[in-house]
Amino acid sequence: MTPNRLILVTSLALFAMFFGAGNLIIPVMIGVDAGHLSWIAAIGFICSGVLLPAMSMVALASKRKEEKRLADRLGAPIGLVLTTAIFLSCGMIYGIPRVGAVSFEFAVAPLVNDSQWALAIYLFVFFAVAYTLARRPAKMVRHIGMVLTPTLLVLLAALVIASFTVPVINTEASPQFSSSPVAGGFIQGYFTMDALAALVFGGVIVASFAAAGHADRQLQKSTALAGVTAGLLLSVVYLGLIRVGLVGSGSNGAEVISGVAHQIFGRSGQMLFGAIVVLACLTTTLGLIAAFVHYFHELVPNVSAHAWLVICVSVSFALANLGLERILAVVAPLNQLLYPMVICLIVVSLVDLVVPIRLLWSYRAPAWIAGVLAVVEALYTTGISLFMPVREWLNLLPMGQLHMAWVVPALVGLFVGVGMDYANRNGHSNRANPGDKFVTA
């Protein structure tokens, strides 16, 4: 396979890995909830839902050979906790259950009685298939990139284009978007979890390029091109799905898309679209399961990979039975907790690529500050009355009313950290040669 073709196929595969449950339902709900401000909210959503994942891919390619985890740059204990939390969140705690629940909402709920028994039976079959396939994954990247993704893109394009024949019904913006649509869209981008997922899937992409002989700067360039190409596809699809949201109604994105698909294509079109969504969700599930099992088996090798697979599938099945709306409700505090530190890690990793010294406190100062404020924000997001008074304190900080109180203090921490690193530059080891800096296996 030629280098350009490899990059294209890998980009399509990365798009399919990113494009799971949340990527379908969240932009649709922006169209529903933001109304006439949807296109402004889309700016913030694309920044956190597209730009950050693309930046994550570049940052991950900069991981040095001696580093076990990219997040170890924040300090080994914090790096271990943060990375483990990311794999748990993207894996059996939230990411995998959400994918299973969304595939039910798309493919089964519109056709049968939307009961707890129907959900349980469907999820049992879905996760049984996932378990069977995850035991022997083979040529996943190529199959996803060459077959599934193009088919899914064609069907999504058909739905989006057809939505322009339906009049807009959502014009009023809900409170979360009316005061600051860009910030509202940015926060919604958290729920795609793609900036976190990039740190999960990125290893698969980097390894794919490395296996094809890409190394050092070529590896970084190929990874960046794959991230950018996948990001461009995501942006186009997100804008189209926002348009779908403007013409549909429902309490969640799956219900909205199913309704619009049925309105435009009828029952047969809705069934076909639902089947493709199931395949897309299954593929995302397989990628998440494989990454989860690999990480935790390396972390706790005394537990076999098969045992981790059983644990992952069993817990995911149990949580998916809570239903889509409950799953979306309980994850908000987790996203508010993880994203600020991950954003700091990504941004400073990109700065690290261009500055002439080895950074240490430039990573730790902003991430630690963001982490403290993220804990407080996450406690408020739980909705527990005990933590409600912290909102007044958070609102005293710049951007606090936008639920982004961590941003300005983290920026101050970044400047302080850079100053400390420059002051101590003779005490740090010299920067490694470019050829030694990147992981090639």
Side-chain angles (χ1 to χ4, degrees):
M1 187 179 295
T2 64
N4 289 338
R5 181 175 172 80
L6 176 63
I7 291 173
L8 176 60
V9 171
T10 305
S11 300
L12 292 173
L14 181 59
F15 167 86
M17 291 179 185
F18 281 145
F19 196 76
N23 310 80
L24 279 165
I25 63 180
I26 295 169
V28 171
M29 291 311 295
I30 290 177
V32 173
D33 295 332
H36 69 285
L37 297 176
S38 292
W39 304 118
I40 301 176
I43 297 172
F45 180 70
I46 288 175
C47 285
S48 58
V50 176
L51 185 59
L52 278 177
M55 293 166 60
S56 294
M57 295 299 300
V58 179
L60 190 68
S62 74
K63 187 162 75 75
R64 304 178 185 104
K65 292 180 179 179
E66 70 273 13
E67 294 174 330
K68 287 186 177 180
R69 295 167 290 266
L70 184 69
D72 284 352
R73 298 177 185 183
L74 309 181
I78 293 178
L80 173 60
V81 172
L82 180 62
T83 304
T84 302
I86 288 171
F87 274 84
L88 283 171
S89 177
C90 291
M92 66 181 185
I93 299 299
Y94 173 59
I96 297 173
R98 181 181 68 173
V99 169
V102 166
S103 64
F104 171 80
E105 294 283 351
F106 271 107
V108 180
L111 306 176
V112 301
N113 181 24
D114 188 3
S115 67
Q116 188 63 40
W117 277 108
L119 174 64
I121 293 170
Y122 169 81
L123 289 174
F124 180 83
V125 175
F126 180 88
F127 284 111
V129 172
Y131 166 80
T132 302
L133 295 177
R135 295 196 67 180
R136 294 180 176 84
K139 299 181 180 179
M140 184 179 67
V141 171
R142 180 175 298 183
H143 289 163
I144 296 171
M146 297 180 68
V147 180
L148 177 60
T149 308
T151 305
L152 180 60
L153 286 173
V154 168
L155 288 170
L156 285 171
L159 177 65
V160 170
I161 292 171
S163 73
F164 283 90
T165 65
V166 181
V168 171
I169 62 173
N170 298 306
T171 57
E172 297 298 321
S174 64
Q176 71 182 114
F177 292 103
S178 58
S179 59
S180 181
V182 174
F186 190 89
I187 295 297
Q188 289 300 306
Y190 284 6
F191 292 92
T192 68
M193 301 187 74
D194 281 346
L196 307 182
L199 301 178
V200 175
F201 290 138
V204 177
I205 301 302
V206 172
S208 177
F209 283 125
H214 295 212
D216 304 333
R217 293 295 178 183
Q218 185 185 20
L219 177 63
Q220 181 192 11
K221 180 180 178 181
S222 299
T223 303
L225 284 173
V228 170
T229 304
L232 289 173
L233 282 174
L234 284 171
S235 297
V236 173
V237 172
Y238 286 157
L239 293 175
L241 289 173
I242 288 175
R243 166 66 194 188
V244 173
L246 287 170
V247 304
S249 61
S251 60
N252 60 66
E255 184 179 327
V256 174
I257 293 183
S258 295
V260 174
H262 186 272
Q263 180 182 357
I264 295 173
F265 297 113
R267 187 179 181 87
S268 59
Q270 185 184 24
M271 291 176 62
L272 178 61
F273 190 80
I276 296 299
V277 171
V278 169
L279 291 176
C281 288
L282 181 61
T283 303
T284 301
T285 298
L286 291 174
L288 290 172
I289 290 175
F292 177 93
V293 170
H294 177 75
Y295 175 79
F296 280 96
H297 181 52
E298 284 196 339
L299 188 65
V300 188
N302 291 335
V303 179
S304 68
H306 181 258
W308 281 117
L309 173 60
V310 172
I311 292 170
C312 179
V313 172
S314 300
V315 174
S316 298
F317 169 74
L319 293 179
N321 273 282
L322 293 174
L324 180 59
E325 293 186 31
R326 288 183 181 177
I327 293 172
L328 294 178
V330 299
V331 78
L334 187 59
N335 282 331
Q336 290 285 3
L337 178 63
L338 295 177
Y339 255 87
M341 294 188 72
V342 170
I343 291 173
C344 291
L345 174 64
I346 294 169
V347 170
V348 180
S349 293
L350 298 180
V351 173
D352 200 2
L353 291 173
V354 297
V355 298
I357 64 169
R358 180 69 65 91
L359 300 182
L360 176 65
W361 290 106
S362 299
Y363 283 102
R364 298 182 178 186
W368 291 358
I369 293 171
V372 171
L373 293 172
V375 169
V376 181
E377 189 72 66
L379 291 174
Y380 171 80
T381 308
T382 63
I384 299 174
S385 58
L386 176 64
F387 302 124
M388 292 302 99
V390 303
R391 182 78 267 152
E392 295 182 8
W393 180 75
L394 289 170
N395 288 346
L396 294 176
L397 296 171
M399 302 178 70
Q401 293 182 339
L402 304 178
H403 299 270
M404 298 176 67
W406 61 273
V407 173
V408 173
L411 284 173
V412 173
L414 175 59
F415 285 115
V416 171
V418 169
M420 292 174 65
D421 286 333
Y422 266 95
N424 298 327
R425 61 187 179 275
N426 293 328
H428 296 333
S429 60
N430 293 330
R431 175 174 295 285
N433 293 326
D436 298 329
K437 188 174 180 181
F438 303 106
V439 175
T440 57

